[in-house]
Amino acid sequence: MQRSRAEPQVTDLPGERGREVVEYHHESAAPSTYVYEFVWDHTAPAVGPFCTDIDGNVLMDFTAHVGSMPLGYNSPKILEPLSEFDLVDPSKIAGQDFYLPAASVLEDVGVPGPADLMDRLTDISSQYGMDTVFLSNTGAEAVENALKICFDYTRGKYTITCEGAFHGRTLGTLSLNRSKEIYRRAFPEIASVQDIPFCTDRSCTAETCDCGFFFDDTSSLRQMLAEKSGYVNSDEVAALVIEPIQGEGGYRFPSDPFMQEIADVCDRQEIPLVVDEVQSGMGRTGEWWAADQYAIEPDVIASAKSARVGATISREELFPEEESRLSSTWGAGDILAAAQGVVTIDAIEDHDLLDNATRRGRGMREELTDRELAGVTDVRGKGLMLAVEFETETRRDAVQREAFSRGLLVMGCGNRTIRLLPPLDVTEREIRLGAQLLEKSTAAA
Ligand code: PLP
């Protein structure tokens, strides 16, 4: 398959073999785990956003596996450096106490391990003075451990979360979820979680805000924590947790004044600011972290997906010193996961992919806005974290189905939004192709 010429080609989707695999999967899988209707054939041609499914359909994937495959399929930028290592035995790393080779120290061994990944992660977070990492496996674990270190550091009992938030599915992280009730129904939650509105208008100011955050010369956060008239003692707050750009909640991009107010209050009240960058981080928005897009100074970053493992990143002083207070048998994934995390960061740097994400993202927004798609109420994005919002949920779902039938994979989020996550090295041609397919899909829907 030649990336410069590939196009989606659909004959039967999902086809007979795909349906067979899905049926087999459902025989033993928990019923709520299968989401996609296509089955990728990893032995068939695939490159960049293009992949072939088990029935021979060629698809254009603008989901990047919800951001966890940042450079698309079979990226030579990832595979070539990995192929230099002898990874016949992709050993699982039991805990982080069993040290594996670190390429930075053992140049003759060469395989980058968890220590190299932590080194890279602190490098790209050094603008916040962060020098320490705890590696786990998933996004939920990254956020869960962010909560744990903040509880331990502050000894506070409150956590502050945002309306529309999604932070994972463990009991701790689901307690902060405010996007859909299904994530919390009947599950016990951690106590003392306080809610604040999340900015719904990226151009809003304190004067024009109508999401309920700013009012009467103050904000709901400031009022909540006010010394006499507030209802939460700021000394008892362990953390404010926020997705700098909301993912599952609808790809919502907050305004600068909103983020500045959050940062200012946290700073004054000495409340650790935790940014959940599981979806928005690792270059997706054209900066290493979505937090870099705003005038804020996070204290903790939770990363996963594109990093290939879960990572809780902060300053050393925030982490407990006591041995075994944090640990994870399979923390840091396997040797392949850690090495992949390292080469992903290197590839983003070496190929100027932050810049590519910024430019191509702008191109996609222009393409989609210029086409004046029917029933679309908003096109927005930063870098390659892009969203198209529709008048209704029904219309959004219909467009998504039409796109699928044309071989364009996209995902929903919020109530009536489609999210687009092209690979970070997406080309101008692929952006145009994606926009054309979305135009045809909206017209057909
Ligand atoms: N936080 C955010 C912002 C996410 O988007 C997700 C997953 O989509 C998570 C946390 C949870 O990550 P995981 O599914 O790896 O546990």
Side-chain angles (χ1 to χ4, degrees):
M1 183 185 280
Q2 251 195 2
R3 182 165 178 177
S4 59
R5 298 227 299 265
E7 295 211 1
Q9 275 176 357
V10 174
T11 44
D12 190 16
L13 187 63
E16 198 178 319
R17 297 185 70 209
R19 281 197 295 268
E20 205 179 310
V21 174
V22 171
E23 210 170 290
Y24 174 62
H25 176 97
H26 278 301
E27 276 173 27
S28 46
S32 59
T33 56
Y34 187 77
V35 183
Y36 300 101
E37 286 176 299
F38 87 104
V39 180
W40 168 36
D41 178 357
H42 58 86
T43 64
V47 64
F50 303 101
C51 66
T52 310
D53 86 345
I54 206 83
D55 292 286
N57 299 298
V58 177
L59 297 141
M60 187 173 187
D61 186 344
F62 269 14
T63 72
H65 296 199
V66 209
S68 55
M69 207 157 146
L71 276 84
Y73 296 84
N74 288 348
S75 172
K77 300 181 183 82
I78 301 284
L79 293 184
E80 275 168 21
L82 282 183
S83 68
E84 284 169 25
F85 313 128
D86 180 10
L87 289 173
V88 179
D89 171 16
S91 314
K92 267 273 201 188
I93 304 158
Q96 288 159 71
D97 313 340
F98 299 85
Y99 294 111
L100 269 125
S104 315
V105 181
L106 305 168
E107 277 165 32
D108 52 331
V109 177
V111 184
D116 300 293
L117 180 55
M118 292 191 280
D119 195 20
R120 300 291 200 285
L121 288 168
T122 53
D123 258 7
I124 62 175
S125 313
S126 58
Q127 63 278 34
Y128 305 121
M130 296 184 185
D131 53 9
T132 305
V133 184
F134 174 71
L135 293 179
S136 49
N137 285 277
T138 64
E141 286 171 272
V143 179
E144 187 92 12
N145 282 287
L147 291 176
K148 281 174 71 178
I149 66 171
C150 291
F151 281 129
D152 190 65
Y153 179 71
T154 62
R155 300 287 154 154
K157 66 174 180 180
Y158 291 107
T159 359
I160 302 175
T161 191
C162 295
E163 175 263 322
F166 181 82
H167 295 293
R169 294 160 189 278
T170 55
L171 293 180
T173 57
L174 71 81
S175 311
L176 307 183
N177 288 351
R178 296 293 182 268
S179 53
K180 297 192 180 83
E181 68 87 30
I182 190 172
Y183 303 129
R184 290 162 63 205
R185 190 190 313 145
F187 298 135
E189 298 174 33
I190 53 169
S192 311
V193 178
Q194 301 290 326
D195 295 22
I196 53 169
F198 188 82
C199 178
T200 50
D201 173 2
R202 57 192 178 275
S203 58
C204 99
T205 63
E207 291 72 39
T208 62
C209 168
D210 62 6
C211 72
F213 182 71
F214 287 113
F215 56 88
D216 297 345
D217 291 334
T218 185
S219 68
S220 52
L221 178 62
R222 206 173 280 267
Q223 195 200 38
M224 175 198 290
L225 302 169
E227 207 177 321
K228 289 211 174 86
S229 55
Y231 54 93
V232 170
N233 182 335
S234 61
D235 292 341
E236 290 189 302
V237 180
L240 187 151
V241 185
I242 189 167
E243 292 158 273
I245 296 168
Q246 277 190 348
E248 157 70 21
Y251 271 37
R252 300 200 289 178
F253 299 80
S255 70
D256 292 337
F258 172 85
M259 288 302 255
Q260 266 155 19
E261 174 71 357
I262 299 271
D264 188 46
V265 174
C266 285
D267 197 36
R268 276 165 199 266
Q269 310 276 18
E270 295 183 6
I271 295 171
L273 176 58
V274 177
V275 288
D276 178 345
E277 296 266 8
V278 170
Q279 194 161 157
S280 57
M282 292 282 292
R284 176 60 42 200
T285 67
E287 298 284 352
W288 279 114
W289 307 114
D292 301 342
Q293 303 271 4
Y294 295 96
I296 64 171
E297 285 262 334
D299 297 290
V300 186
I301 296 174
S303 177
K305 292 193 192 279
S306 299
R308 314 303 302 195
V309 298
T312 307
I313 311 162
S314 186
R315 301 185 302 276
E316 188 182 2
E317 80 223 35
L318 266 85
F319 285 88
E321 275 181 23
E322 214 178 329
E323 205 175 292
S324 293
R325 192 120 166 94
L326 302 180
S327 188
S328 162
T329 302
W330 299 123
D334 55 28
I335 194 165
L336 195 56
Q340 250 182 310
V342 170
V343 298
T344 300
I345 293 177
D346 290 351
I348 294 173
E349 237 153 31
D350 295 348
H351 299 277
D352 281 337
L353 297 185
L354 297 182
D355 184 50
N356 192 62
T358 304
R359 283 187 299 117
R360 300 282 175 245
R362 195 183 311 124
M364 186 61 157
R365 291 200 304 278
E366 282 166 10
E367 285 274 352
L368 292 172
T369 310
D370 291 350
R371 284 165 201 266
E372 298 180 1
L373 306 181
V376 167
T377 54
D378 192 25
V379 172
R380 56 181 178 265
K382 278 192 196 289
L384 291 168
M385 190 166 182
L386 297 154
V388 183
E389 189 164 311
F390 294 85
E391 279 159 355
T392 61
E393 184 174 2
T394 318
R395 179 146 185 81
R396 186 273 309 269
D397 292 348
V399 172
Q400 202 176 334
R401 273 194 305 276
E402 288 293 339
F404 186 60
S405 72
R406 287 168 174 74
L408 175 67
L409 286 179
V410 296
M411 287 181 74
C413 60
N415 295 323
R416 48 199 172 95
T417 303
I418 277 177
R419 52 183 144 176
L420 304 168
L421 296 92
L424 297 182
D425 64 350
V426 70
T427 63
E428 200 177 339
R429 182 189 83 91
E430 291 159 359
I431 287 288
R432 203 171 317 116
L433 190 56
Q436 278 163 1
L437 286 164
L438 259 186
E439 184 176 27
K440 284 185 187 151
S441 309
T442 48

